[in-house]
Amino acid sequence: MGAFTDTRTETVGADGALWLRKELQSPSVGTYNLITVDSTDYGAAESLFTDQFYEGLVKLMADESVMIINVDSPSWNMDIVIHVQSQISRFFKYCYIYQSHQPTLAPIFPSE
């Protein structure tokens, strides 16, 4: 069964801070096993890099759960990555930097 058809999963495309506020008012508090925050780079989505946001995520998550967050590229902005890791480590017992390489394709425009 694929991840998108598994009834245990839900993919949400929304403003993460607004979604979090709504979820904190629902019976979902303390039930999430995995939360992935695929945000824009640090600074562009400021509300997703605040203590308040991380505190809310902790409340949503079950014991022994995992949170993955897209921060920025360590190759270009290691100081930002270290800052966010330091910030997150105040809320989560284990906090590691993991880098994956994703191919980026240049836009192709039809000739005029």
Side-chain angles (χ1 to χ4, degrees), residues 36-82:
T36 301
V37 181
D38 187 15
S39 69
T40 59
D41 290 340
Y42 181 82
E46 291 181 24
S47 62
L48 303 182
F49 295 96
T50 65
D51 288 353
Q52 181 181 11
F53 185 72
Y54 300 135
E55 287 171 345
L57 291 178
V58 169
K59 290 175 184 174
L60 281 186
M61 299 171 77
D63 291 338
E64 299 184 15
S65 55
V66 175
M67 188 224 10
I68 301 166
I69 185 166
N70 177 27
V71 176
D72 213 322
S73 172
S75 300
W76 298 315
N77 295 307
M78 184 56 108
D79 55 332
I80 290 171
V81 172
I82 290 171

Side-chain angles (χ1 to χ4, degrees), residues 10 19 22-33 35 57 59-62:
E10 178 183 0
W19 172 85
K22 181 186 82 152
E23 286 300 297
L24 287 171
Q25 303 303 315
S26 76
S28 299
V29 173
T31 64
Y32 281 82
N33 293 310
I35 295 178
L57 291 178
K59 290 175 184 174
L60 281 186
M61 299 171 77

Side-chain angles (χ1 to χ4, degrees), residues 107-112:
I108 300 172
F109 300 100
S111 60
E112 295 180 28

